[in-house]
Amino acid sequence: MTGYLGSYATLGLLLLASVLFFVTAFSANRMLRPGRTADPWGKRTSYECGLDPVGGDWAQMQIRYYVYAYLYVLFAVEAVFLFPWALVFDRPGFGLVTVVEMGVFVAVVALGILYAWRKNILRWT
């Protein structure tokens, strides 16, 4: 199929094949499934970590989980900034300036880590 309309014919055949595959798959699913689904005891109850759900649905979370998530995001962003810097470091015109800029960036991140360490945020109790 060549020419201007040949491209549309190819696209039409592809769409037709995909629709046929979709209809065939869903028809086979409908015909092969059991007529009446099994509903054993406890099948529709919620399940979490091997424990039965007991009590209310409101639970208080400790702030340290959020602090660890925030620190993870901080280090992930640092890695995102370090990778492009490492790629352009050896190119002409990026020598000392990029080293100083990255030194300032790493120093600010190190100050944040030092602050978190001094406040005992990084200690898991």
Side-chain angles (χ1 to χ4, degrees), residues 11-21:
L11 178 66
L13 288 174
L14 181 64
L15 288 174
L16 181 67
S18 63
V19 167
L20 284 175
F21 179 77

Side-chain angles (χ1 to χ4, degrees), residues 16 25 28 47 60 78 82 91-92 101 104 115 121-122:
L16 181 67
Y47 178 79
Q60 184 175 4
E78 180 183 6
L82 280 173
R91 294 187 182 162
E101 287 175 353
V104 169
Y115 175 77
I121 293 174
L122 301 176

Side-chain angles (χ1 to χ4, degrees), residues 20-34:
L20 284 175
F21 179 77
F22 180 80
V23 168
T24 304
F26 273 87
S27 299
N29 181 28
R30 181 171 288 267
M31 288 194 294
L32 295 176
R33 72 178 183 182

Side-chain angles (χ1 to χ4, degrees), residues 29-110:
N29 181 28
R30 181 171 288 267
M31 288 194 294
L32 295 176
R33 72 178 183 182
R36 188 166 172 248
T37 59
D39 200 11
W41 180 84
K43 182 169 178 95
R44 297 179 190 227
T45 60
S46 55
Y47 178 79
E48 186 70 28
C49 299
L51 301 173
D52 291 330
V54 177
D57 58 352
W58 186 83
Q60 184 175 4
M61 238 161 127
Q62 296 186 4
I63 191 69
R64 68 176 171 222
Y65 300 119
Y66 297 111
V67 171
Y68 280 107
Y70 180 71
L71 288 174
Y72 171 76
V73 169
L74 178 75
F75 291 125
V77 168
E78 180 183 6
V80 166
F81 282 130
L82 280 173
F83 184 70
W85 173 79
L87 289 177
V88 299
F89 175 68
D90 63 345
R91 294 187 182 162
F94 288 101
L96 185 61
V97 175
T98 56
V99 171
V100 170
E101 287 175 353
M102 196 48 64
V104 169
F105 177 72
V106 170
V108 168
V109 171

